[in-house]
Structure formats: C-alpha cells, structure tokens
Amino acid sequence: VQLQASGGGLVQAGGSLRLSCAASGRTLSRYHTGWFRQAPGKEREFVAAISRSGGGTYYADSVEGRFTISRDNAKNTVYLQMNSLKPEDTAVYYCAAEGGAWYPQIQTYYDYWGQGTLVTVSS
C-alpha cells in the first residue's frame, strides 16, 4: 500500500488543521494506521493510531483531547483533526500502516510509511 499525507501548513496557536492520509494500491481498511511526528532536532514520536475497523483509537498524552483520528474506509483515507494547536506541535507529520501484528505506539510495527507533511504553529 502507498500512503500520501497532506493537509499540513502554517497556523496560529489555537488554530486547527486536518491532515489526510490517502492510500493507493490496496484497501486501507486492511491496515491499522497511525500518525507520527518529528520536530526539528528531535526523534520521531507517536501521535495517534486507529485500528483497521475504526473501533480502537490511541493517543499520545500530549495530544489527548485536542487531536482526533478517524477513518473513512470508503474513501481509503485516515484523518487527523488537530485542534487547539500549540507551537510545540510544530513538526513533520507522517502516516503509517500495518496489516499484521500491531502495537499502536511502536514505530517498528509499521511496515508502510508515507512522506511527511509539515505543520508549523506560530505563537
């Protein structure tokens, strides 16, 4: 499966963005999907994940209550709605997918990665 992340941009603190992760090649409903981010000078970290059915969602403590992950399997797309953005949310955001055994927060369990989309939050 090929993944294409989009929706990043420049936003003021307190604003909102919605990221999209569109799949091609295979049906995204076969895959658990996650979002990770990498800020300048930092390691890539887990943000949110959703099971292939959509019945399970997982969030990093730093985004819980502000970000919402969802999926539309009919559109072969996973979304990350980001509200109340903070400057510390500035990063390149990546989507990733895994079709087998899965630990949502662990990057090595994801076999497929999209290119990143840059989110910049100004203070």
Side-chain angles (χ1 to χ4, degrees), residues 31-36 45-52 56-60 96-113:
Y31 299 90
H32 310 297
T33 308
W35 286 95
F36 293 80
E45 64 177 5
F46 170 75
V47 176
I50 187 166
S51 64
R52 52 189 157 209
T57 57
Y58 308 84
Y59 297 94
E98 170 54 40
W102 182 54
Y103 286 84
Q105 298 91 342
I106 301 177
Q107 299 180 45
T108 53
Y109 276 86
Y110 291 84
D111 286 336
Y112 305 97
W113 289 82

Side-chain angles (χ1 to χ4, degrees), residues 35-68:
W35 286 95
F36 293 80
R37 67 186 181 187
Q38 186 167 21
K42 295 187 177 181
E43 294 187 351
R44 190 164 58 187
E45 64 177 5
F46 170 75
V47 176
I50 187 166
S51 64
R52 52 189 157 209
S53 70
T57 57
Y58 308 84
Y59 297 94
D61 290 344
S62 59
V63 307
E64 180 84 52
R66 299 188 297 121
F67 290 11
T68 302

Side-chain angles (χ1 to χ4, degrees), residues 1 4 9 25-26 29-30 37-38 40 48-49 61 63 66 71 80-82 88 95 99-101 107-108 117 122:
V1 63
Q4 178 79 34
R26 286 195 171 185
S29 61
R30 295 184 175 186
R37 67 186 181 187
Q38 186 167 21
D61 290 344
V63 307
R66 299 188 297 121
R71 66 191 307 148
L80 184 68
Q81 178 66 44
M82 306 186 296
E88 51 263 44
C95 61
Q107 299 180 45
T108 53
T117 185
S122 63

